[in-house]
Amino acid sequence: QGVGSTLITEVCRRLKNELIVGAEAHTGDRDEAAIKLLENAGFYRVDTGIVYEKKLEAKTPLENREQSGAEVNESSETSTVEFRQT
């Protein structure tokens, strides 16, 4: 097992122990390595779509957050993982 698959397996194991019932991963539709990694870990595609983004000029992330009331995501990663609990 590579580092990525080991990490996904361990995270899912720990989440299951915490009674988390599902994990969701987001990746680009052309990122074949990430898709293969997720499918080999037991994930399956449930949705495809297009995400739109617009970069807005702001003085600083903090000032932008204060003006909009929204959280600022400073990450430049293209893949994310979300977990849900019921």
Side-chain angles (χ1 to χ4, degrees), residues 22-37:
E24 182 175 303
H26 298 249
T27 191
D29 62 350
R30 295 185 198 136
D31 190 344
E32 294 178 19
I35 292 168
K36 183 177 178 180
L37 174 71

Side-chain angles (χ1 to χ4, degrees), residues 18-62:
E18 295 294 325
L19 304 178
I20 304 295
V21 297
E24 182 175 303
H26 298 249
T27 191
D29 62 350
R30 295 185 198 136
D31 190 344
E32 294 178 19
I35 292 168
K36 183 177 178 180
L37 174 71
L38 292 168
E39 288 177 349
N40 286 341
F43 285 75
Y44 52 92
R45 183 175 288 204
V46 295
D47 190 17
T48 60
I50 300 172
V51 176
Y52 290 89
E53 177 178 278
K54 180 178 179 179
K55 300 285 184 185
L56 302 176
E57 189 174 323
K59 296 175 187 174
T60 67
L62 180 58

Side-chain angles (χ1 to χ4, degrees):
Q1 268 190 329
V3 173
S5 59
T6 300
L7 179 61
I8 289 174
T9 300
E10 181 62 16
V11 167
C12 288
R13 184 191 68 76
R14 289 179 184 208
L15 290 170
K16 187 175 179 181
N17 288 341
E18 295 294 325
L19 304 178
I20 304 295
V21 297
E24 182 175 303
H26 298 249
T27 191
D29 62 350
R30 295 185 198 136
D31 190 344
E32 294 178 19
I35 292 168
K36 183 177 178 180
L37 174 71
L38 292 168
E39 288 177 349
N40 286 341
F43 285 75
Y44 52 92
R45 183 175 288 204
V46 295
D47 190 17
T48 60
I50 300 172
V51 176
Y52 290 89
E53 177 178 278
K54 180 178 179 179
K55 300 285 184 185
L56 302 176
E57 189 174 323
K59 296 175 187 174
T60 67
L62 180 58
E63 289 172 332
N64 192 35
R65 182 184 311 137
E66 290 171 348
Q67 291 172 358
S68 69
E71 291 186 27
V72 175
N73 182 357
E74 298 177 23
S75 172
S76 63
E77 296 295 320
T78 59
S79 299
T80 60
V81 178
E82 299 173 3
F83 306 101
R84 59 188 177 275
Q85 184 175 12
T86 59

